[in-house]
Amino acid sequence: MAYIASWYWDKGRFREKNEDSFSLQRVMRNGTELVFLAVCDGIGGLPEGECASGFAAERLTEWFYREAGVCMEGIFWRRRMKKLVRKAFFDIQGGLERCEREEDICCGTTCTMALVKNGRFLLAHMGDSRAYRIGAGEVCLTKDHREGGVLRKCLGAFGMDEAEFMTGFLKKGEGLLLCTDGFCRLVPEGLFESCFADCSGSRNCYRRLKGISGFVAAQGEKDNMTAVFVRYEGRKSGDARAADRRKI
């Protein structure tokens, strides 16, 4: 495989339920591995936050297999993908609005997602979660769409605004970390970079994510904590891919 990937999902020590949801999908198409990752954080001040985030994560996962993966087979897939992402967000928004009309439940969720092929990625972001590029320096790729303590961009409750988009490229050994605000809010600058600099294998990455969560909880974080990490290992030759299959 061309990527090492792992995830961590924890309600934390103080919350009764986890209002975060996530998705991590990997699929081979025409000999190329495609990766989809997303974190969704249900808005805690509204009812049924876990339903809103779960609905968004589930719909986006279905969308990846139905539409996005096919689009990624093309050469200029990132140009076309923005239109598909907007449509997917619009469909999720419509579902949450129907829930409000029919069930009288006003709920919402943030959403930060990425699609990756051969190290090239497209990032879409709404809310106050974070996306970091890890390797040769720790870089936060997303803005905080919260102003004066009020969330300005989300899916659901307050109507949908335009998502923030970013494209980029991962060199061999670099990774993407998507996480909710509870996972990163109390993390000192540079900790993610130091934790994943020598990380090898999915189990090791999971232990690093769990360790970060424990550190954050010890600092007094009370929110749910969710993170998804993927590191690009570079393209592999046909012989290397065949060796991987034999190992499996």
Side-chain angles (χ1 to χ4, degrees):
M1 292 297 200
Y3 301 89
I4 290 174
S6 191
W7 56 269
Y8 186 78
W9 186 73
D10 187 2
K11 72 179 180 65
R13 301 175 183 177
F14 300 94
R15 296 293 183 92
E16 294 183 359
K17 55 186 177 181
N18 196 335
E19 296 183 324
D20 294 349
S21 298
F22 75 94
S23 180
L24 174 59
Q25 310 297 324
R26 305 166 68 182
V27 63
M28 295 294 294
R29 284 186 179 270
N30 296 324
T32 300
E33 187 176 3
L34 311 179
V35 180
F36 169 73
L37 52 159
V39 293
C40 302
D41 185 354
I43 299 175
L46 298 173
E48 308 297 337
E50 72 280 9
C51 295
S53 67
F55 177 77
E58 181 179 11
R59 286 296 181 92
L60 286 172
T61 301
E62 294 172 352
W63 165 82
F64 170 68
Y65 286 104
R66 184 180 64 250
E67 298 182 53
V70 176
C71 178
M72 291 176 75
E73 294 182 12
I75 298 176
F76 303 107
W77 64 272
R78 289 185 296 182
R79 295 181 184 178
R80 298 190 298 272
M81 188 62 71
K82 290 182 181 180
K83 182 177 180 180
L84 291 181
V85 172
R86 290 187 182 99
K87 181 178 180 297
F89 282 170
F90 183 80
D91 290 343
I92 293 170
Q93 177 69 25
L96 293 174
E97 289 178 354
R98 284 195 300 274
C99 179
E100 182 176 1
R101 291 194 305 268
E102 298 172 6
E103 305 294 333
D104 196 26
I105 297 175
C106 179
C107 58
T109 181
T110 69
C111 182
T112 303
M113 54 166 281
L115 297 141
V116 191
K117 173 186 175 183
N118 292 331
R120 292 174 173 82
F121 66 84
L122 171 70
L123 182 73
H125 169 64
M126 298 182 72
D128 57 358
S129 293
R130 299 287 191 276
Y132 295 88
R133 183 168 56 209
I134 307 295
E138 176 184 304
V139 180
C140 183
L141 302 173
T142 53
K143 297 178 181 178
D144 188 346
H145 295 151
R146 184 182 294 273
E147 298 177 7
V150 178
L151 193 63
R152 300 298 182 182
K153 288 189 178 184
C154 69
L155 292 167
F158 313 114
M160 190 181 77
D161 203 344
E162 175 67 11
E164 173 189 356
F165 287 96
M166 177 176 289
T167 59
F169 181 80
L170 298 175
K171 296 179 181 178
K172 183 177 179 180
E174 293 184 336
L176 280 177
L177 172 67
L178 273 57
C179 57
T180 56
D181 60 332
F183 188 85
C184 64
R185 184 164 35 222
L186 300 181
V187 171
E189 184 176 353
L191 179 63
F192 293 144
E193 176 73 16
S194 62
C195 283
F196 292 105
D198 60 346
C199 186
S200 60
S202 297
R203 290 184 180 180
N204 196 9
C205 289
Y206 172 79
R207 286 194 289 268
R208 303 295 174 88
L209 292 171
K210 185 177 181 179
I212 293 170
S213 174
F215 169 82
V216 170
Q219 305 309 304
E221 179 59 63
K222 297 183 179 181
D223 204 353
N224 309 138
M225 292 176 277
T226 300
V228 183
F229 177 75
V230 60
R231 190 174 72 188
Y232 182 50
E233 297 296 283
R235 298 188 187 187
K236 293 191 176 183
S237 65
D239 292 340
R241 289 195 295 269
D244 284 344
R245 287 195 293 270
R246 287 196 294 272
K247 291 178 184 178
I248 296 173

